[in-house]
Amino acid sequence: MKKRLSIFIIMLFILFILIYPGDCVAAAANGLILWYENILPALLPFTIFSNILIRSGYLDDMIRAAGPLLDRIFFHHPHAAYPIISGFLFGFPIGSKTTADLLREGRLSLQEANILCAMCNNISPVFVSSYLLMSSLGIYNKTWITYAILYLPPLFTGLFLLSRQKARSSKKNSTSRSNLNFQIIDAGIMNGFETLLKLGGYIMLFSLMTQMCIRAAGKHELALMCMTGFTEITNGINVIAQSFSYPLSVKYPMIIGFTAFGGLSGFAQTASMVKETGISMRFYLGFRIIQALISTLLAAILI
């Protein structure tokens, strides 16, 4: 069944490219421009720095220095601090990337990584305040409320789930030694570029899929809003915000819900970041759906 679905999707892409070559070129160009002008300069430096920090062992030194405080805040899971802080500050897909890196290095258990990947993989605050609120909806006075709606539910849920996990032994980390050399730096740079190139490919593919949704929905505005929002949130937010048929009390919760979920594009990019680590994408999907429903409900009440 899965194989047949994959073949069907590939054939659908090929037919769309053959029938609407102009749409495909424009969609691919828009996706690559978005990646080059926004994603690449924003995430590449941090991704390289993060790789070096983890592989050099300096992250362990920092965590040991702040160990007593981190133990209290994160329920004796001090290594959870880094993906939580980086994921919530820098946004998707840094949360899943740092979680997967720490899991590969043996700093996290698989159970911890499952929770952290789903918990930390949120849309960045800069995107929310600038693009979602100001550029798309023209809202300038609900930034902090929107932050609370989007970020507090996954934060509290994730911390609760972490508190139920048994703390890991820190013997391995207590004897580790930090080391920085050009081999580690080179590996960090190559890993950073590989990560961002993958993201560029996924952004381009889902730009094409969004254009397919636009063609499929036709003049059915509600179907178009739901299909684009569920597929890729950047285009989905734009389509929903430009609707004249629905008031802000409908558009705002809808946009918040799709943003909290992250779209199919976000799901695919996350799966790419954590592949071959054992992190459960089924758990991730269920967690994000629940958080999207909670955020949508809160947005509908508070708007």
Side-chain angles (χ1 to χ4, degrees):
M1 182 67 182
K2 185 178 179 180
K3 184 177 181 180
R4 291 180 179 178
L5 180 61
S6 300
I7 294 174
F8 174 76
I9 293 174
I10 292 172
M11 293 303 298
L12 200 61
F13 264 106
I14 294 174
L15 286 174
F16 184 73
I17 292 171
L18 293 175
I19 297 173
Y20 301 105
D23 286 4
C24 291
V25 171
N30 289 335
L32 290 175
I33 290 172
L34 171 67
W35 170 79
Y36 178 74
E37 293 184 349
N38 297 282
I39 307 299
L40 186 65
L43 296 185
L44 181 60
F46 180 82
T47 304
I48 293 174
F49 172 76
S50 177
N51 290 325
I52 295 173
L53 187 64
I54 293 173
R55 296 188 181 190
S56 66
Y58 286 124
L59 178 63
D60 293 333
D61 294 340
M62 296 166 61
I63 289 175
R64 279 197 299 272
L69 177 62
L70 296 180
D71 275 346
R72 290 185 178 183
I73 296 175
F74 300 106
F75 305 100
H76 304 289
H77 300 277
H79 276 88
Y82 185 58
I84 289 175
I85 294 172
S86 60
F88 277 88
L89 288 180
F90 292 94
F92 168 87
I94 295 298
S96 61
K97 178 67 170 60
T98 53
T99 299
D101 289 342
L102 288 172
L103 177 60
R104 292 186 183 101
E105 294 292 322
R107 269 63 169 184
L108 295 173
S109 68
L110 182 58
Q111 291 76 17
E112 290 173 320
N114 282 331
I115 296 169
L116 290 170
C117 181
M119 167 190 183
C120 305
N121 218 34
N122 303 291
I123 305 302
S124 72
V126 174
F127 178 89
V128 171
S129 61
S130 60
Y131 180 76
L132 191 159
L133 292 176
M134 297 179 186
S135 298
S136 299
L137 292 176
I139 298 176
Y140 299 90
N141 62 345
K142 292 189 180 296
T143 301
W144 290 104
I145 293 177
T146 304
Y147 285 169
I149 291 171
L150 284 173
Y151 301 134
L152 290 184
L155 178 62
F156 288 154
T157 305
L159 288 176
F160 171 76
L161 293 175
L162 275 179
S163 70
R164 310 285 292 181
Q165 293 293 319
K166 184 179 179 180
R168 300 179 71 240
S169 172
S170 59
K171 290 183 179 180
K172 178 179 179 180
N173 294 333
S174 63
T175 59
S176 64
R177 295 181 179 180
S178 57
N179 178 41
L180 182 61
N181 53 49
F182 283 106
Q183 183 178 2
I184 292 174
I185 294 174
D186 288 346
I189 292 172
M190 292 304 298
N191 185 274
F193 273 99
E194 180 184 356
T195 299
L196 269 296
L197 284 173
K198 284 182 181 179
L199 289 183
Y202 277 103
I203 290 171
M204 182 189 68
L205 286 176
F206 277 90
S207 292
L208 292 175
M209 188 174 292
T210 301
Q211 192 62 38
M212 292 170 62
C213 291
I214 293 173
R215 284 285 184 179
K219 297 181 179 180
H220 300 282
E221 189 174 28
L222 181 60
L224 176 62
M225 293 162 63
C226 293
M227 291 171 68
T228 54
F230 184 70
T231 302
E232 200 278 317
I233 61 170
T234 304
N235 290 293
I237 289 171
N238 182 56
V239 169
I240 296 171
Q242 290 183 353
S243 171
F244 294 103
S245 302
Y246 297 90
L248 183 63
S249 59
V250 173
K251 293 191 290 186
Y252 179 76
M254 184 178 289
I255 287 177
I256 291 296
F258 287 129
T259 302
F261 173 64
L264 288 179
S265 176
F267 179 83
Q269 292 174 52
T270 301
S272 174
M273 293 296 102
V274 305
K275 72 175 185 178
E276 299 177 356
T277 62
I279 291 177
S280 173
M281 292 307 297
R282 180 176 297 180
F283 176 83
Y284 175 88
L285 181 62
F287 188 99
R288 298 315 306 185
I289 290 174
I290 292 172
Q291 301 309 311
L293 293 174
I294 294 172
S295 295
T296 302
L297 180 61
L298 291 174
I301 294 172
L302 295 177
I303 189 61

